[in-house]
Amino acid sequence: MITKVKKISEGTCSKKDYDEAAEILKNGGLVAFPTETVYGLGGDGLLSTASKKIYEAKGRPSDNPLIIHIAEMEDLNRLAEHVNEKARKLAEAFWPGPLTLIFEKKDCVPYGTTGGLDTVAVRMPNHPVARDLIRYSGVLIAAPSANTSGRPSPTKAEHVVEDLNGKIDMIIDGGEVGIGIESTIVDMTADIPTILRPGFITKQMLEQVIGEVRVDKAILTKGVKEGLKPKAPGMKYKHYAPKGELILFEGAEDDVVRVINEHVVEKQKMHKKVGIIATEETQHKYQADYVMCIGSRNDEATIAKHLYGILRDFDHLEVEYIYGECFAKENLGQAIMNRLLKAAGYHVVHVSNGEGCDADNEI
Ligand code: TXA
Ligand code: MG
């Protein structure tokens, strides 16, 4: 299959620019498109044959459900049963935006889209290209992140080309995304709404609108060891993984820098290529082959935006070991650490002023 790449810059386009993409979606084909979080791989969410194609193109296990993207509030009622008061309040406060809500599904939503579940995940994205594509095609678009399963989510069209060229009908190139990590997912079917995946919309932001919100315990732990089963099926798979071995280091800044540099020296003696995910505050203190700055510790939004791109850059450089610093686990830091921990397979070294102590999965 030849994948057409079409550039659409936000704001300057008319319905006509979307004709071809809309036609593909209406005929059950696949179009990757930008959202404000990451690029999505879109197909008709009400058509199980289209969902099947999405799973195939990504190499994704078919029990891992897809999010359906809408552009109008009325469309929520087409997909979801029992939209309660709290859900309405959240939708009003944060849609369009990086928030996905889970409801009981209506019959029109095929099990092929929900991975066999009786629930459906719904999101109204806040990206003009995503919203125009939904509106102009009239399709409620099921879209997972547009990466090959297990690879970092795409934040630029080039990343989508890397993973899916030749496997899907079209990629809409709308430039780099704004947020860079996937939406916050909240289960609205639980007695107390529960965050299944942290994102840009934090627990504090949700609680300001609806009061108590819980966080699924599996978010910052490997889960298996504690017998925890994540409620979002996708969270159980190894995810966001770079090709090199990523290890995270936690502790006081100077100690972390010193222990990382010791690891670098050791690997360099073995002629291994090493990369570091550094911050603005520390980048000049490392002596590795490749030191990439993810942003300032005081600016979590920038860190989130750069995270997946840096992991892909290290893949291109064929780095064999990647060492990274940990971040605070509150607010947006919770989402950043959730993605970093998964990318590292939960391999964290706790550093004190003496030695580094390897403590897999104790964060
Ligand atoms: O920001 C985003 O959410 C992006 C953009 C494209 O919208 N999409 C995205 O989709 O990240 P995906 O498929 O990569 O991640 C969706 C997550 C998976 O972990 C999946 O298991 C969970 O949502 N999920 C979907 N439907 C669910 C449901 N009914 N119940 C529980 N978890 C669900
Ligand atoms: Mg994904």
Side-chain angles (χ1 to χ4, degrees):
M1 176 186 293
I2 292 178
T3 303
K4 178 162 185 176
V5 179
K6 185 175 172 65
K7 264 198 194 307
I8 295 190
S9 316
E10 43 188 88
T12 60
C13 289
S14 64
K15 183 172 186 295
K16 208 168 165 299
D17 295 295
Y18 289 89
D19 280 353
E20 207 179 341
E23 222 32 56
I24 292 169
L25 289 172
K26 283 194 264 187
N27 290 320
L30 304 186
V31 177
F33 61 98
T35 80
E36 78 278 32
T37 56
V38 298
Y39 271 74
L41 171 56
D44 186 342
L46 301 185
L47 202 63
S48 47
T49 49
S51 299
K52 191 160 178 273
K53 285 187 197 165
I54 292 177
Y55 288 106
E56 279 167 9
K58 275 182 67 89
R60 174 175 175 134
S62 60
D63 68 343
N64 189 0
L66 308 175
I67 297 170
I68 301 187
H69 297 68
I70 62 174
E72 314 293 341
M73 210 49 106
E74 305 90 80
D75 287 333
L76 176 58
N77 299 321
R78 283 175 63 192
L79 302 171
E81 262 340 326
H82 311 304
V83 178
N84 59 28
E85 189 56 29
K86 286 183 181 174
R88 294 224 173 271
K89 281 188 175 163
L90 289 181
E92 269 160 32
F94 299 110
W95 280 359
L99 177 69
T100 296
L101 300 175
I102 291 178
F103 302 98
E104 275 170 46
K105 78 172 190 69
K106 284 217 165 128
D107 288 343
C108 66
V109 181
Y111 284 111
T113 297
T114 67
L117 297 177
D118 289 317
T119 51
V120 60
V122 185
R123 168 162 119 81
M124 188 190 287
N126 185 21
H127 190 293
V129 173
R131 299 191 74 191
D132 283 348
L133 184 64
I134 301 165
R135 281 194 181 127
Y136 292 146
S137 65
V139 171
L140 302 182
I141 303 180
S145 48
N147 50 288
T148 299
S149 199
R151 297 221 57 216
S153 294
T155 54
K156 296 177 186 171
E158 290 81 355
H159 299 159
V160 185
V161 173
E162 234 170 72
D163 284 11
L164 299 177
N165 193 25
K167 296 182 177 168
I168 62 176
D169 300 286
M170 184 184 262
I171 296 168
I172 299 180
D173 180 353
E176 191 171 355
V177 303
I179 292 179
I181 54 173
E182 308 85 343
S183 61
T184 307
I185 301 180
V186 183
D187 182 2
M188 299 309 295
T189 67
D191 291 340
I192 296 171
T194 304
I195 299 177
L196 305 186
R197 178 174 73 182
F200 193 81
I201 308 287
T202 63
K203 180 174 189 282
Q204 288 75 5
M205 290 159 79
L206 296 165
E207 285 186 332
Q208 270 176 11
V209 179
I210 56 163
E212 188 184 0
V213 169
R214 289 213 173 124
V215 178
D216 188 13
K217 285 203 179 61
I219 276 178
L220 289 175
T221 56
K222 200 169 3 185
V224 185
K225 202 159 119 186
E226 286 99 301
L228 296 170
K229 197 168 160 238
K231 266 198 83 184
M235 302 301 274
K236 73 176 179 254
Y237 296 108
K238 187 168 182 199
H239 242 94
Y240 322 120
K243 290 176 188 156
E245 185 182 339
L246 171 62
I247 303 176
L248 303 175
F249 292 77
E250 188 177 50
E253 186 178 292
D254 286 349
D255 296 326
V256 165
V257 170
R258 177 177 49 76
V259 173
I260 287 183
N261 275 329
E262 285 166 11
H263 276 68
V264 172
V265 170
E266 200 181 298
K267 293 296 177 211
Q268 284 174 339
K269 276 190 204 149
M270 296 155 73
H271 306 287
K272 302 286 186 196
K273 259 195 201 178
V274 187
I276 310 269
I277 305 175
T279 52
E280 243 165 52
E281 292 76 9
T282 57
Q283 56 176 329
H284 57 283
K285 299 182 184 172
Y286 291 112
Q287 291 119 33
D289 305 310
Y290 302 101
V291 179
M292 294 212 198
C293 177
I294 194 167
S296 165
R297 286 196 163 268
N298 304 320
D299 180 4
E300 288 179 329
T302 301
I303 292 173
K305 186 169 170 164
H306 291 160
L307 177 57
Y308 288 139
I310 285 185
L311 294 180
R312 278 185 185 256
D313 288 345
F314 278 134
D315 283 352
H316 296 146
L317 293 164
E318 298 185 332
V319 162
E320 294 162 279
Y321 291 89
I322 307 165
Y323 300 135
E325 301 169 14
C326 285
F327 297 93
K329 287 164 222 95
E330 286 93 49
N331 301 317
L332 187 50
Q334 186 173 65
I336 293 167
M337 281 308 294
N338 167 265
R339 308 312 194 268
L340 270 174
L341 282 165
K342 282 158 96 29
Y346 298 88
H347 193 166
V348 181
V349 174
H350 292 271
V351 177
S352 61
N353 50 13
E355 293 290 287
C357 150
D358 214 323
D360 192 16
N361 189 33
E362 275 190 10
I363 209 152

